Amino acid sequence: LGYGDLGFTGHPTTSTPNIDRLASGGKVLSTWYSGCPVCSGSRAALMTGRQFARTGVPGVFEAISLAGLPTNETTVADQAKKAGYTTAIMGKWHLGQRQMFLPAARGFDHYQAFLDDMGNARATPCGGSRPTADLFEDMTKYYREAGYLNDDINKSDDPAGDYLPLVYQTKGKTKVLEQPLDFTTLADKYNDFVQEFVTNQSVTKDPFFLYMAFSHVHTTASNQPDKQYAGCPFQNSTRRGRFGDALAEADWLVGNLVQSLERYGLDKNTLILFSSDNGPWMEQGKSAGSPGLMYGRSSGYWNVGKGSTWEGGIREPAFAYWPGVISPGTRSAEVVSSLDLLPTVSSILGVELPRDRVYDGRDMSDVLFDNTGKSKHDFFSSTVVIAKGQHLTSVVQQLCATAGTKHTSALALGWVDAQAARRSTMPAENDPSEAYPLTKNGVEPEDPQVQAVVADIRAALQKELDTFTFGNLVVPPNLPSEKYKGKYYYGICCDRSKNCDCDGAPSEY
């Protein structure tokens, strides 16, 4: 989901009335940065409050990875549990699929969705029978070409990587509900899960933390039309094509959640934060989203979304909504980030942060709840950018490198060029499209004030490069449950005797 995809950020044909209503009723956060411009890295940053490379997480985990988010990392769900909260996640986890990495082992009481990237799945035709998923595409090839995969931790001969499973967890028990999952009915299953969770919390009166990690509108494999999906009520429902249909269905899920909160009188005691994991995968054409203004106009190429360190890859649409607490119709251009979620939630709940590690996120409560609140980031580093005040430097050097190997990724997924390593400084506040760099290819600014800012940014960047420590992934020992016919397999599988192609009754393991 890109900065320009929603109604409240200016898209002319998007249909997102529920999301737009929340944005207008709360505070728009116009300078929200993701912790990484690709999938697993951004989720690791959001869950831990730490740059993904500090944790050892690569840009992307595959469906059959031997490793996951290291078990010594504390997640925001862990912090919520310390405060007595019931926790749940709906959607895309993508931080490891082995038992020790699943949401139930990472602080979540309940989980429903899938665990890795958008692999091959099914889609029941509206009014017809279910087809087989007989057209396969290796979605990981794009990430591999751009250097976001670590092949040392992937098991390539596991058939579980061929089909995307729908997984349910509660009270530590795991069920594979579908494999391959059905995209046509996926939103209904999401909705049922969320509605049941909120209803139960309204009865128990327990406080709750709900993480809705939408799989909409991520690009699917090529066996789905235009590499997007939506349920029958939303197919051909918008002027924006299949991407717009998928986004409208996600908006419906948001609307249903808010209706339930209001029905049970929970809305005035619930903080809603909304953002995206990374910018649009522009190489995928119409199945991708829109970066809007964040187009990296001085980049010299067009692929400045997902995988990119330009604004289009990491600057995301965002808002905070809390009736009676956050003033409606307000905005803040202060620098905040998905990295700030864990420190902020911990502060609100009165839970101390672990003191044995470096945190890159900051408590953004002042920005959320004070109309004149300031960011606590003097300099902000997200393994891709460092920002100070009105200026932002976009660099590719160590930053967003694959953890462990320390090699530099490309500026955009699917686009590789040696010139990507050049440094440039942008006036991001008054030039969000990055059309007029203050420094580029050795040309220095003439304004003494700008020179001083550039010097400060370069000093902060150098300090970051000099002191940054990459984390290391540790592959846990094999589990007895992972052994089948004398070999060990690590993907989620409904039934190995069927090569993980079940599409039948739920299985439990």
Side-chain angles (χ1 to χ4, degrees):
L1 184 73
Y3 196 95
D5 279 320
L6 298 161
F8 80 88
T9 55
H11 198 283
T13 58
T14 280
S15 177
T16 52
N18 294 300
I19 293 172
D20 296 342
R21 179 174 75 88
L22 295 178
S24 64
K27 176 175 286 188
V28 173
L29 305 169
S30 62
T31 314
W32 175 295
Y33 288 103
S34 172
C36 180
V38 289
C39 309
S40 298
S42 66
R43 285 161 173 76
L46 181 142
M47 281 286 104
T48 68
R50 288 157 46 81
Q51 295 184 43
F52 77 99
R54 286 195 199 279
T55 71
V57 170
V60 178
F61 283 119
E62 291 196 52
I64 48 179
S65 176
L66 281 70
L69 179 68
T71 54
N72 64 345
E73 292 290 340
T74 298
T75 70
V76 64
D78 290 327
Q79 293 291 88
K81 291 292 291 179
K82 293 175 186 176
Y85 277 57
T86 302
T87 56
I89 167 177
M90 172 223 89
K92 182 182 172 187
W93 174 239
H94 211 173
L95 289 172
Q97 81 293 332
R98 297 177 68 189
Q99 286 288 345
M100 69 288 291
F101 301 123
L102 292 177
R106 311 315 305 268
F108 288 97
D109 298 309
H110 310 282
Y111 167 74
Q112 180 170 291
F114 51 89
L115 301 159
D116 50 83
D117 216 346
M118 299 289 284
N120 295 281
R122 304 176 186 267
T124 301
C126 297
S129 60
R130 184 192 302 273
T132 58
D134 57 356
L135 177 60
F136 290 92
E137 180 180 11
D138 179 13
M139 297 297 289
T140 63
K141 65 182 179 182
Y142 303 102
Y143 300 113
R144 181 169 286 104
E145 291 169 356
Y148 283 114
L149 294 180
N150 183 346
D151 286 330
D152 292 338
I153 59 170
N154 293 314
K155 188 79 172 178
S156 61
D157 60 348
D158 190 343
D162 292 338
Y163 295 104
L164 189 63
L166 180 65
V167 181
Y168 175 78
Q169 283 191 296
T170 186
K171 298 180 180 178
K173 290 187 176 290
T174 305
K175 290 184 178 182
V176 180
L177 301 178
E178 294 178 339
Q179 193 171 21
L181 66 77
D182 186 347
F183 277 136
T184 303
T185 59
L186 182 59
D188 289 331
K189 295 182 178 71
Y190 282 170
N191 188 62
D192 291 344
F193 174 81
V194 169
Q195 294 302 313
E196 180 180 3
F197 177 73
V198 173
T199 299
N200 287 342
Q201 298 315 115
S202 73
V203 174
T204 64
K205 308 300 182 182
D206 293 332
F208 63 90
F209 173 77
L210 173 62
Y211 172 36
M212 295 176 69
F214 292 96
S215 53
H216 305 66
V217 286
H218 192 294
T219 301
T220 70
S222 56
N223 65 333
Q224 305 302 325
D226 289 336
K227 295 187 176 182
Q228 281 292 346
Y229 68 92
C232 295
F234 291 92
Q235 292 181 18
N236 302 311
S237 66
T238 71
R239 298 172 61 187
R240 199 182 164 184
R242 293 188 183 274
F243 183 97
D245 295 346
L247 186 52
E249 187 168 60
D251 182 77
W252 170 73
L253 289 167
V254 171
N256 289 347
L257 167 67
V258 175
Q259 284 184 4
S260 291
L261 294 175
E262 293 172 346
R263 180 186 312 119
Y264 297 123
L266 302 174
D267 57 312
K268 292 181 173 58
N269 199 30
T270 301
L271 168 64
I272 296 175
L273 288 171
F274 177 94
S275 191
S276 174
D277 58 348
N278 48 248
W281 196 348
M282 298 173 70
E283 190 181 33
Q284 298 294 328
K286 290 191 298 181
S287 70
S290 169
L293 281 172
M294 315 302 169
Y295 208 84
R297 288 172 55 195
S298 63
S299 65
Y301 55 93
W302 60 269
N303 196 4
V304 294
K306 180 175 182 174
S308 163
T309 62
W310 298 92
E311 295 282 87
I314 53 176
R315 191 166 174 177
E316 311 302 337
F319 63 78
Y321 176 84
W322 190 348
V325 178
I326 294 177
S327 301
T330 53
R331 298 177 66 89
S332 174
E334 292 294 303
V335 172
V336 292
S337 169
S338 56
L339 287 157
D340 298 338
L341 178 66
L342 183 142
T344 304
V345 169
S346 299
S347 173
I348 292 172
L349 301 185
V351 178
E352 287 191 8
L353 295 176
R355 299 182 180 181
D356 60 348
R357 63 202 65 187
V358 174
Y359 281 95
D360 300 289
R362 299 290 183 266
D363 178 8
M364 59 178 167
S365 297
D366 289 349
V367 176
L368 299 182
F369 307 133
D370 184 343
N371 289 339
T372 60
K374 299 296 182 182
S375 171
K376 292 183 178 179
H377 292 283
D378 291 330
F379 288 91
F380 169 72
S381 179
S382 173
T383 32
V384 285
V385 295
I386 291 182
K388 180 184 181 183
Q390 300 179 2
H391 299 85
L392 176 145
T393 181
S394 181
V395 300
V396 179
Q397 180 179 333
Q398 173 242 353
L399 314 169
C400 227
T402 300
T405 63
K406 301 181 178 64
H407 71 272
T408 301
S409 68
L411 268 175
L413 202 57
W415 181 90
V416 183
D417 190 290
Q419 294 300 316
R422 66 174 181 254
R423 300 184 186 187
S424 57
T425 304
M426 305 288 176
E429 187 165 82
N430 60 22
D431 181 22
S433 65
E434 298 175 291
Y436 309 106
L438 300 175
T439 67
K440 184 176 180 181
N441 295 336
V443 177
E444 297 294 319
E446 296 181 358
D447 187 327
Q449 290 184 322
V450 177
Q451 290 175 357
V453 171
V454 170
D456 286 346
I457 289 175
R458 286 175 175 166
L461 173 60
Q462 191 59 54
K463 181 179 179 181
E464 180 78 354
L465 297 174
D466 291 342
T467 61
F468 192 89
T469 301
F470 282 86
N472 293 308
L473 290 182
V474 176
V475 176
N478 294 327
L479 301 176
S481 61
E482 295 172 332
K483 192 173 184 179
Y484 178 72
K485 291 187 175 181
K487 294 183 65 176
Y488 286 95
Y489 298 93
Y490 305 99
I492 293 288
C493 184
C494 54
D495 187 338
R496 295 231 169 248
S497 69
K498 298 180 180 180
N499 285 325
C500 311
D501 182 10
C502 298
D503 193 30
S507 63
E508 186 169 337
Y509 68 97

